[in-house]
Amino acid sequence: MTSQQWQERYSGAVMNTFGPPKLVLARGEGAHVWDVDGVEYVDLLGGIAVNALGHAHPALVAAVTEQLTTLGHVSNFFTSAPQVELAERLLSLVGPGERGGRVFFTSSGTEANEAAFKLTRRTGRTHLVAAEGSFHGRTMGSLALTSKDAYRTPFEPLPGVVTFVPYGDEAALAKAVTDQTAAVILEPIQGEAGVVVPPATYLAAAREITRDNGALLWLDEVQTGIGRTGEWFAGPVADADVVTVAKGLGGGIPIGACIALGEAATLLQPGNHGTTFGGNPVACAAALAVLDTIEKDGLLEHATAMGERLRAGLAADERVAEVRGRGLLVGLDLSRPVSAEVAAAALARGFIVNNPTPDRVRLAPPLVIGHDDVDAFLAAWPEILDDAYGGPQ
Ligand SMILES: *Cc1c(COP(=O)(O)O)cnc(C)c1O
């Protein structure tokens, strides 16, 4: 079966929500993947910030295999050691200290946000504040907090009373939050918007503004969390009320978590929320293996070093107007709106990158990516831009 034949079968059987797939992939190893025709690619997107340990990492394979051959699924009438251990581990990484916290496990980012959305309703308030450019997921609740009109409009009316404010603007946030506001939800760095980093004081100001109004501060770390930015979390999570994570947590095994801190941890009570798959022992064992490996192999430091190398190399070309991000969440602005052409040219040269907006390129490679792959991409970068811009500028 060739890629083309699989593409035809795909379009006949799989719902067309994503457009035609760019590749039909067969296997992966580390930061490399191969398609069914045997063509090799360097994966600089990592399943959109998911494959933290790359592909087929032995520690993840061993953890999942061992758990699945021991106990695969139990339902939430029961618990298992991996679930309890992972909840404790996440709380210790968030570090709320005396305030303490509790975790609700899910199978995706949007579900982690749904849990948090429902939690905010238990404050007795319904008003929420989110940011322009935000992305929080595609289920109805998360979509209500996502600003992009093209995603929202076909599905209105969406739940909730949501005010959108310009991202990074402290004064606008202070104006929008009142004593009727249940929560403010913010990404510490906006991922889907193309890696937008707010001013250094913004998240601390958000904490102050929410505290003054008795509102919860909810940080959506679904994309930025679990080492992506060279730290466990990109935002001041220890001071937050709710932190949601998913993407990198399971290293490719579906798992998310809504982590509530202090008094917010007891807002959801028995009967208020549930899930069949959330907290599944295999998913929790996978996440524990991801956390262990990040720690044991020094991947936070490695992500910081590789990210700096990438950003410096990418910025060297004058067709790059700005490079942003931290660690291995990298975004850049092109001098012209040719990001789709850049992604296509990169793919033709064996590199997977992403074009979240017409003039922005995003990279979120596995945290294990090596110098050799980074350098190979940077060596090809001027040629990729030549292809996309229609010749050297
Ligand atoms: C991807 C993402 C989500 C949604 O996660 P899914 O697993 O796709 O449901 C939510 N918030 C942020 C910040 C994300 O990047």
Side-chain angles (χ1 to χ4, degrees):
M1 276 286 179
T2 63
S3 281
Q4 201 188 331
Q5 288 168 315
W6 282 114
Q7 293 274 13
E8 281 160 20
R9 287 173 63 180
Y10 176 97
S11 68
V14 180
M15 208 178 277
N16 183 23
T17 55
F18 301 104
K22 297 189 191 331
L23 296 173
V24 182
L25 292 170
R27 68 187 179 93
E29 197 182 316
H32 293 227
V33 290
W34 286 261
D35 71 12
V36 292
D37 302 322
V39 182
E40 181 175 354
Y41 299 87
V42 178
D43 182 4
L44 293 154
L45 186 57
I48 318 184
V50 166
N51 298 93
L53 307 185
H55 300 272
H57 193 287
L60 186 58
V61 172
V64 167
T65 305
E66 192 181 319
Q67 188 58 49
L68 189 56
T69 51
T70 307
L71 182 70
H73 178 80
V74 294
S75 92
N76 282 304
F77 290 119
F78 312 103
T79 189
S80 61
Q83 185 185 70
V84 177
E85 281 175 17
L86 181 60
E88 290 174 351
R89 192 73 175 277
L90 286 171
L91 288 170
S92 83
L93 291 177
V94 170
E98 299 273 277
R99 294 166 68 215
R102 302 276 177 84
V103 179
F104 180 86
F105 287 113
T106 68
S107 309
S108 67
T110 200
E111 285 172 275
N113 284 337
E114 289 295 322
F117 194 136
K118 286 179 73 176
L119 179 154
T120 70
R121 284 288 167 96
R122 304 298 298 156
T123 61
R125 303 181 184 183
T126 56
H127 177 234
L128 292 160
V129 178
E132 290 170 9
S134 63
F135 181 82
H136 299 297
R138 301 292 204 128
T139 52
M140 293 299 264
S142 300
L143 191 56
L145 303 164
T146 293
S147 75
K148 194 168 173 171
D149 282 332
Y151 294 171
R152 300 169 57 85
T153 309
F155 303 101
E156 285 169 345
L158 293 165
V161 186
V162 185
T163 303
F164 288 96
V165 293
Y167 186 65
D169 183 337
E170 291 175 23
L173 189 63
K175 238 176 108 185
V177 178
T178 73
D179 62 6
Q180 300 300 305
T181 305
V184 172
I185 176 172
L186 294 169
E187 294 160 82
I189 295 174
Q190 287 187 329
E192 298 302 301
V195 188
V196 178
V197 183
T201 55
Y202 184 58
L203 296 169
R207 174 68 285 182
E208 210 167 298
I209 292 162
T210 45
R211 191 178 281 132
D212 289 349
N213 287 279
L216 302 174
L217 177 63
W218 166 9
L219 297 178
D220 180 344
E221 293 256 10
V222 168
Q223 186 157 162
T224 51
I226 319 297
R228 174 53 45 194
T229 64
E231 295 171 79
W232 285 111
F233 300 97
V237 291
D239 286 336
D241 299 297
V242 184
V243 180
T244 44
V245 294
K247 288 193 166 92
L249 180 58
I253 299 296
I255 182 168
C258 169
I259 307 162
L261 309 173
E263 288 173 23
T266 51
L267 284 171
L268 286 177
Q269 286 292 310
N272 282 163
H273 199 43
T275 163
T276 297
F277 292 116
N280 169 290
V282 175
C284 291
L288 285 167
V290 168
L291 299 178
D292 283 345
T293 305
I294 289 175
E295 211 163 78
K296 204 163 49 68
D297 292 353
L299 294 181
L300 299 181
E301 297 75 14
H302 182 71
T304 300
M306 290 300 101
E308 278 167 14
R309 198 180 184 99
L310 263 174
R311 266 184 286 276
L314 292 166
D317 195 292
E318 51 185 40
R319 290 164 288 190
V320 174
E322 187 184 41
V323 182
R324 295 179 302 271
R326 286 210 294 271
L328 282 173
L329 187 58
V330 179
L332 62 86
D333 282 4
L334 298 164
S335 61
R336 284 206 249 138
V338 291
S339 69
E341 289 84 346
V342 167
L347 202 63
R349 289 175 180 273
F351 300 96
I352 297 173
V353 307
N354 169 246
N355 50 310
T357 75
D359 62 355
R360 287 178 174 168
V361 173
R362 171 178 51 171
L363 308 177
L367 305 184
V368 297
I369 194 167
H371 294 87
D372 45 348
D373 285 331
V374 167
D375 291 350
F377 176 63
L378 291 176
W381 181 236
E383 292 157 14
I384 291 168
L385 292 176
D386 287 351
D387 293 351
Y389 278 74
Q393 301 297 299

